[in-house]
Amino acid sequence: MKETIPVFYDARQVSQPTSFSPSAAKPRKVVERWQAMSFPISLVAPQPLTEAQLRLAHDADYVRGILDCRAVNGFGGKDPAVAASLLWTTGSMLSAARCALASGRVAVSPTSGFHHAGHNWGGGFCTFNGLMTTVLSLVASGEVRKVAILDCDEHFGDGTEDIIKALGVRNLVRHVTTGLCYSRDPDAFLATLPSIIAEFLDCDLILYQAGADPHVDDPLGGWLTTDQLFERDRRVFGCARRYGIPIAWNLAGGYQDPFHEVLRIHDNTLRACAIAFLGEDSWR
């Protein structure tokens, strides 16, 4: 039986608030495109996160206010459809992480909208921080001791940092956010990636945000070409496999118009993943 890459998707992950960001509707579009292109994926139903798991990373009143549609979400509104999707988007990230841990390899959460969500606030199209809810859920269950977050979105993961500081859990997380750090020298950024991942050897798992918004044509990005983004992903996945660190990845940002250019970047991330974990010709 042909090996595939598990993708944790449920239609309930999708919402479509009025917003500049396409991220809330992206899971369905990405998955449908990957299926149409016959990529070597297998769809797996994620388990939704519980309110108790959300409270591991977020203030209890904030969590209840968002789910009850009393508090403003990361899109600046109180849309019930957004609230209904949040347990599934965060649950997809945790489910993918558990799958990667179990296999010792890789899994995908086709989601966005995490790293700008702090302990008791949201913003930047992010409401709950699926990265930190995943880390703290896995730690609470004893499945991991320490997790690396490699955030290659264009923008700084301020929400992730806020949660780490608010809860005093720096010892549980190695957080590397690359947004804007190497914007004047893409070659230096790519050359540094292997050494960054080598620093994760004390971690049980990598959570990788493979953002599309560092692309040169992205209105909120502007420094890596399509080929350089593919090389970024190739190096991340290749190093994770070489060092034997399980990795679960998600989509993060991407704002180009036409939107198919964003989807094309996500296609390339999956290609790089397939090359690293399934073999050079497995996706052709």
Side-chain angles (χ1 to χ4, degrees):
M1 185 175 181
K2 184 178 180 180
E3 190 176 7
T4 58
I5 296 170
V7 176
F8 284 81
Y9 172 74
D10 186 288
R12 285 168 285 190
Q13 290 168 221
V14 179
S15 61
Q16 292 184 292
T18 301
S19 169
F20 169 76
S21 172
S23 64
K26 195 157 56 172
R28 177 183 293 123
K29 293 178 180 179
V30 166
V31 167
E32 289 177 350
R33 183 178 171 96
W34 288 351
Q35 289 178 311
M37 297 175 74
S38 299
F39 279 121
I41 62 172
S42 54
L43 296 189
V44 187
Q47 291 295 311
L49 228 61
T50 66
E51 185 173 339
Q53 287 171 313
L54 289 174
R55 293 199 303 266
L56 293 172
H58 294 287
D59 174 79
D61 289 339
Y62 174 70
V63 171
R64 180 40 43 197
I66 289 293
L67 297 179
D68 287 346
C69 301
R70 291 183 288 105
V72 173
N73 61 42
F75 292 90
K78 301 177 182 179
D79 187 343
V82 172
S85 71
L86 294 170
L87 297 179
W88 294 94
T89 55
T90 50
S92 169
M93 194 73 231
L94 177 57
S95 295
R98 282 187 164 140
C99 177
L101 281 169
S103 68
R105 290 167 63 81
V106 67
V108 185
S109 171
T111 51
S112 302
F114 292 153
H115 73 162
H116 294 310
H119 179 59
N120 61 358
W121 47 267
F125 320 122
C126 304
T127 307
F128 292 138
N129 194 308
L131 304 170
M132 287 305 298
T133 56
T134 292
V135 170
L136 296 175
S137 294
L138 293 173
V139 170
S141 63
E143 295 169 82
V144 300
R145 295 168 298 169
K146 190 172 185 178
V147 176
I149 297 174
L150 177 58
D151 189 345
C152 288
D153 187 271
E154 171 67 359
H155 307 99
F156 179 68
D158 56 339
T160 303
E161 275 297 308
D162 180 71
I163 294 170
I164 292 170
K165 292 175 182 177
L167 299 180
V169 293
R170 184 77 62 187
N171 61 313
L172 304 178
V173 188
R174 189 177 291 275
H175 179 218
V176 177
T177 178
T178 64
L180 302 179
C181 295
Y182 301 89
S183 58
R184 295 183 180 178
D185 194 344
D187 290 337
F189 165 68
L190 293 172
T192 302
L193 279 173
S195 62
I196 290 175
I197 297 170
E199 295 176 357
F200 297 160
L201 290 173
D202 62 339
C203 297
D204 300 306
L205 172 73
I206 299 170
L207 302 181
Y208 173 41
Q209 287 224 121
D213 51 358
H215 193 271
V216 292
D217 294 327
D218 196 284
L220 300 183
W223 63 292
L224 293 174
T225 66
T226 299
D227 288 344
Q228 288 167 337
L229 282 170
F230 177 78
E231 181 61 19
R232 174 200 71 179
D233 297 334
R234 191 189 70 80
R235 294 189 186 199
V236 169
F237 293 125
C239 289
R241 182 170 187 189
R242 183 162 62 251
Y243 293 132
I245 311 172
I247 183 168
W249 60 276
N250 73 332
L251 308 174
Y255 308 95
Q256 286 189 65
D257 186 13
F259 187 60
H260 67 76
E261 294 298 331
V262 175
L263 297 177
R264 191 159 65 93
I265 294 168
H266 294 319
D267 295 344
N268 281 340
T269 302
L270 183 59
R271 283 192 173 99
C273 180
I275 289 170
F277 286 95
L278 303 183
E280 180 70 27
D281 297 320
S282 60
W283 49 268
R284 296 185 185 279

